[in-house]
Amino acid sequence: MSLSWAVPGTKVTYHSASTMEKVPAVVVGPSKLDGDFLSIQYEVKGRTITHDCAPLHRLEFAEETKEPRLPSVLMEELSFLSGKPHHLSESVLRNYDKLNSGYLDLTELKLLFTDAFPDEKFSDADMKCLMESLDLNQDGRVGLNELRAFLRLYNPSTKDITVKTALIIIDVQNDFITGSLANPYDATTIVPVINGMRDRFDVVVISYDWHPHDHCSFTASHNAKLFPIKETSDKFEDFGLVTLLADQDRAEHQQMLFPRHAVQGTEGGCCPPDLVVKDSDL
């Protein structure tokens, strides 16, 4: 293959993987050939984009210009030029779904990974492990949502995966530790455990139970007859069941009753004072 097109100043034309629009660009260098791989810089509408180790045997040509363009999986950086929402996951799935099944089988997944990580060699054992990691519903193939989960982590510029970890703290609130719904197994002991592990994670998310004062799950609400129910009793007990009648938001259903807890703006709804909470937490 002639590399005359890779000389700085050469104009090239790409086709956007997501919109099928033509994207004009110019080679600005440096470019070098290393075995079967190419490293090159492009300037596109004032922005310099570097693609390292693009597999030459997978470079495609625009029919009108016979100029090379990169495969869809490496086109993410160019998609911003169209000004329209792009659907990278759908485009990648179409590009590698050779059987048009709507999924990627093991062979198709290997093609994708060969392009995505051109410096790596994937054995059958490697691919089996990767399939098991991506195949969240364990049906033996990778669907659109599973592919999307991978692409969120894949960096097409550096050809690697960047993983962020998150600690999700759920309902660690006074009412569940020392209040009206306190855990009977000394829930206070969980707080230092959380404090000790939180700095190992990139992101910490804190989730709250956050009820209005007269919530439909509160025993007191039904003893005050605040909600229409099937039952006719005058007295309800904690952890019993009532049947809430259908309304415009939901069908008739059963509801377990609890003591009033985690009410918005109350001390019981707050985190315990010894739980470490930072401004950076979500």
Side-chain angles (χ1 to χ4, degrees):
M1 175 183 294
S2 171
L3 293 180
S4 61
W5 60 273
V7 175
T10 302
K11 294 181 179 180
V12 294
T13 301
Y14 295 115
H15 289 185
S16 168
S18 57
T19 66
M20 300 308 294
E21 295 181 16
K22 294 181 179 180
V23 181
V26 60
V27 177
V28 295
S31 60
K32 62 180 180 180
L33 184 64
D34 181 12
D36 290 332
F37 300 99
L38 178 72
S39 177
I40 193 168
Q41 287 186 344
Y42 302 97
E43 184 176 282
V44 187
K45 292 190 175 181
R47 182 185 179 195
T48 299
I49 298 171
T50 301
H51 286 293
D52 296 319
C53 297
L56 287 182
H57 69 281
R58 291 197 177 275
L59 284 173
E60 304 172 18
F61 289 85
E63 292 182 2
E64 299 86 350
T65 62
K66 299 300 181 183
E67 294 168 345
R69 55 189 173 92
L70 293 171
S72 299
V73 74
L74 302 176
M75 291 287 289
E76 183 177 25
E77 290 179 277
L78 297 180
S79 62
F80 78 99
L81 295 168
S82 69
K84 301 178 181 178
H86 82 291
H87 304 283
L88 180 65
S89 303
E90 290 87 342
S91 176
V92 172
L93 183 63
R94 287 195 301 269
N95 190 51
Y96 290 93
D97 179 19
K98 306 303 181 183
L99 299 178
N100 295 318
S101 65
Y103 298 88
L104 299 183
D105 62 18
L106 197 60
T107 300
E108 294 163 337
L109 186 64
K110 186 172 184 178
L111 290 175
L112 187 153
F113 270 78
T114 300
D115 282 350
F117 305 101
D119 291 331
E120 300 293 333
K121 303 296 182 183
F122 296 100
S123 67
D124 290 344
D126 292 335
M127 292 310 307
K128 181 179 179 181
C129 182
L130 289 167
M131 175 63 82
E132 290 175 352
S133 298
L134 295 179
D135 180 20
L136 300 180
N137 64 358
Q138 299 182 338
D139 65 353
R141 54 191 184 176
V142 173
L144 181 60
N145 287 334
E146 294 162 332
L147 177 61
R148 183 175 290 122
F150 161 70
L151 291 175
R152 287 194 185 105
L153 303 178
Y154 175 67
N155 186 328
S157 298
T158 59
K159 314 296 186 299
D160 62 16
I161 292 177
T162 301
V163 177
K164 284 194 174 185
T165 58
L167 173 65
I168 303 176
I169 303 170
I170 300 175
D171 295 355
V172 181
Q173 296 162 263
N174 289 323
D175 273 344
F176 297 119
I177 294 179
T178 58
S180 59
L181 266 180
N183 186 296
Y185 302 103
D186 192 11
T188 57
T189 59
I190 198 173
V191 174
V193 174
I194 295 171
N195 291 342
M197 70 169 58
R198 56 164 292 138
D199 289 340
R200 304 174 194 171
F201 295 84
D202 298 307
V203 178
V204 175
V205 179
I206 300 180
S207 169
Y208 294 87
D209 215 18
W210 201 239
H211 296 301
H213 184 269
D214 295 319
H215 190 257
C216 66
S217 69
F218 293 165
T219 305
S221 297
H222 293 283
N223 284 332
K225 300 190 182 304
L226 299 181
F227 295 91
I229 58 175
K230 272 189 172 183
E231 291 75 13
T232 59
S233 175
D234 291 328
K235 181 67 174 177
F236 296 95
E237 301 292 337
D238 295 337
F239 310 112
L241 292 173
V242 296
T243 306
L244 292 169
L245 300 182
D247 58 25
Q248 61 182 1
D249 296 320
R250 62 183 68 185
E252 180 181 294
H253 65 283
Q254 284 195 319
Q255 172 66 56
M256 179 173 283
L257 301 182
F258 301 97
R260 183 173 279 116
H261 64 277
V263 173
Q264 300 168 9
T266 67
E267 186 65 22
C270 295
C271 294
D274 52 342
L275 180 72
V276 175
V277 179
K278 299 183 180 181
D279 291 341
S280 58
D281 294 344
L282 302 177

